[in-house]
Amino acid sequence: MLKIDDARIAIIGLGYVGLPLAVEFGKQRSVVGFDINAIRIEALQRGEDNTLEVSGEELAEAAHLTYSSKPDELKACRVFIVTVPTPIDEHKRPDLRPLLSASETVGRALKKGDLVIYESTVYPGCTEEDCVPVLEKFSGLKFNKDFFCGYSPERINPGDKAHRLPTIKKVTSGSTPEAAEAVDALYREIVTAGTHPAPSIRVAEAAKVIENTQRDLNIALMNELAIIFNKMGIDTQAVLEAAGSKWNFLPFRPGLVGGHCIGVDPYYLTHKAQSLGHHPQIILAGRRLNDGMGAYVAQQLVKAMLKKGTARAGARVLVMGLTFKENCPDLRNTRVVDVIRELQGFGFEVDVHDPWAEAAVAHEEYGLALTPSPEAGTYDAVVLAVAHEQFRDKGPGYFRSLGGPGGVVYDLKHLLGVGDSDLRL
């Protein structure tokens, strides 16, 4: 029997997904926020969140939330919610190591009547086929007899202060009807937008993975249109604004597709499809196109510099923005790096300026040193790669001032008007 009415909750993984969840539950229930990163735990205990998703005031409001990196402290919990990353490896295959390691940790703390809920993005079937056997192995308990599982996909949008956890409708599911109701009731405590109970864990897993696959494909279409219109000498933004005057035209825009979701999740679905003998042509075509946009952007910039006579070995280029999206310090899977690497391959010296990114993380993850204050008049080209609010506040004259005579300005995010830049995506 499930016994979670006043159960203590453990949130496994305190990143962009886990911390907001721990804070919301911690306002009304006893919660242990667990992470293997002891430095992260120490920062949270000081009331500091380097992801900037949760303010110090919000952390203080979670009066029933404690933090720990010690697995033994999980044994007093009855509900375990797993929110660890699910990345891909260098061959673009699902890397389940963080998920399976978290399952092992939970399994060692699992007791009869406990509930384990997964929020990490996976392919349909992963929870019951990959995670449950690990839980059984390390707990010695029987699934759906001694313990139960649920799946409720995360829908966190990093950097978005309008759409927060309580205001985003939550999909829920459970391994039995009783577990499904328990999972749904649990999330109803904190999600004011309501819930959508899915008929099975596999349905909930599939719903999550296609949300970002759909976005990925729509952006891939816009990217291909941008390439076509560029060859035709037509401004893509002007075309999209005209087409957008129709009520049912979807407002997607071209761009670099990075981050931990849109650029990763489709590979979980294609992996599962291929294991079943189906080659998903459309999804993979969209991924190939989006993964190639960094090189395309760099090559377009080089052509523009050639026309102005500034494309030479040692030419200086300033890339403004490194994070995968605006107004967010998240550098995971940023595709701005593809632009930088391609330009470096041409023999250019590339400086990177980003007021949101952490210099230590940029160096550790990508070997890049951030430029805190770009000097005016020193660059042969400037690339506006991320639409941070600090960049939006600048006028076109500022970006022109960063370049020397004949400098090229490439506006990927349409921060500037027509004529204020040399290139627009």
Side-chain angles (χ1 to χ4, degrees):
M1 286 288 293
L2 278 168
K3 300 176 181 179
I4 66 166
D5 289 344
D6 57 353
R8 194 177 198 191
I9 299 174
I11 308 295
I12 314 299
L14 296 176
Y16 285 87
V17 175
L19 182 60
L21 194 66
V23 167
E24 290 302 322
F25 276 122
K27 293 176 181 178
Q28 51 190 286
R29 278 180 179 255
S30 177
V31 176
V32 175
F34 175 85
D35 201 290
I36 60 173
N37 185 341
I39 295 176
R40 170 73 166 158
I41 294 298
E42 291 170 3
L44 291 172
Q45 288 172 336
R46 294 193 303 268
E48 301 170 6
D49 171 29
N50 62 7
T51 71
L52 304 183
E53 287 299 299
V54 181
S55 68
E57 292 77 12
E58 290 172 313
L59 289 175
E61 290 174 3
H64 307 291
L65 170 61
T66 59
Y67 306 99
S68 177
S69 58
K70 300 176 181 178
D72 283 348
E73 295 192 22
L74 300 176
K75 293 181 179 179
C77 300
R78 304 306 305 266
V79 177
F80 303 85
I81 305 179
V82 179
T83 61
V84 297
T86 44
I88 53 175
D89 63 19
E90 64 272 18
H91 303 295
K92 303 188 185 303
R93 298 175 304 198
D95 181 0
L96 296 180
R97 287 177 297 178
L99 189 66
L100 298 181
S101 178
S103 298
E104 177 180 338
T105 299
V106 171
R108 294 183 186 277
L110 211 55
K111 302 164 293 300
K112 287 188 176 182
D114 286 359
L115 175 65
V116 184
I117 304 169
Y118 290 89
E119 289 208 6
S120 306
T121 302
V122 293
Y123 46 76
C126 183
T127 298
E128 291 158 300
E129 296 167 10
D130 298 280
C131 299
V132 164
V134 175
L135 295 173
E136 289 186 316
K137 176 182 177 180
F138 288 93
S139 68
L141 302 176
K142 188 67 176 176
F143 177 50
N144 278 343
K145 177 184 177 183
D146 300 320
F147 72 93
F148 304 85
C149 283
Y151 183 81
S152 182
E154 60 88 5
R155 283 176 165 172
I156 294 295
N157 187 24
D160 189 340
K161 300 307 180 185
H163 302 92
R164 308 295 297 277
L165 173 64
T167 62
I168 303 173
K169 197 163 192 174
K170 202 84 165 73
V171 173
T172 65
S173 65
S175 55
T176 67
E178 182 188 16
E181 173 53 33
V183 172
D184 196 68
L186 187 67
Y187 283 106
R188 289 200 304 266
E189 293 180 9
I190 62 169
V191 179
T192 58
T195 61
H196 177 94
S200 69
I201 287 177
R202 289 164 63 89
V203 167
E205 291 168 326
K208 169 56 181 176
V209 81
I210 72 164
E211 289 176 11
N212 287 321
T213 299
Q214 182 187 65
R215 286 182 56 77
D216 192 42
L217 286 171
N218 276 290
I219 298 171
L221 174 60
M222 297 301 107
N223 279 334
E224 187 153 60
L225 291 175
I227 293 171
I228 294 170
F229 293 144
N230 177 65
K231 290 181 178 294
M232 300 173 70
I234 300 174
D235 184 78
T236 302
Q237 180 68 10
V239 174
L240 295 178
E241 288 175 358
S245 64
K246 190 182 181 194
W247 77 92
N248 62 352
F249 186 82
L250 301 178
F252 287 94
R253 292 292 184 269
L256 302 174
V257 183
H260 187 64
C261 294
I262 300 178
V264 173
D265 294 356
Y267 288 119
Y268 275 76
L269 184 57
T270 58
H271 168 81
K272 186 65 174 181
Q274 289 169 328
S275 73
L276 298 172
H278 175 72
H279 181 70
Q281 300 181 51
I282 295 176
I283 298 173
L284 288 176
R287 279 278 75 239
R288 285 193 298 271
L289 198 149
N290 284 341
D291 278 347
M293 286 305 292
Y296 172 79
V297 165
Q299 291 160 12
Q300 290 302 107
L301 179 64
V302 171
K303 290 178 182 178
M305 293 173 68
L306 282 169
K307 290 178 181 179
K308 291 197 173 186
T310 58
R312 64 188 184 282
R316 297 192 65 191
V317 178
L318 174 64
V319 174
M320 302 194 71
L322 180 62
T323 61
F324 91 90
K325 66 179 295 187
E326 66 276 7
N327 305 328
C328 173
D330 196 347
L331 289 171
R332 292 175 299 173
N333 194 39
T334 174
R335 300 275 51 94
V336 179
V337 169
D338 297 343
V339 179
I340 295 168
R341 300 296 186 227
E342 189 77 7
L343 292 173
Q344 290 173 332
F346 281 102
F348 295 169
E349 294 182 12
V350 183
D351 286 354
V352 182
H353 172 62
D354 193 315
W356 283 83
E358 289 190 43
V361 178
H363 184 267
E364 180 181 354
E365 293 295 322
Y366 303 108
L368 295 172
L370 298 182
T371 300
S373 301
E375 295 182 21
T378 58
Y379 296 100
D380 298 291
V382 176
V383 180
L384 305 183
V386 185
H388 290 316
E389 58 187 14
Q390 289 92 334
F391 300 160
R392 288 187 177 276
D393 292 340
K394 305 287 187 182
Y398 170 76
F399 301 107
R400 285 291 182 193
S401 72
L402 293 170
V408 176
V409 176
Y410 195 165
D411 182 11
L412 300 187
K413 304 302 292 186
H414 297 271
L415 298 182
L416 309 177
V418 177
D420 292 328
S421 62
D422 301 285
L423 294 168
R424 302 212 303 175
L425 186 59

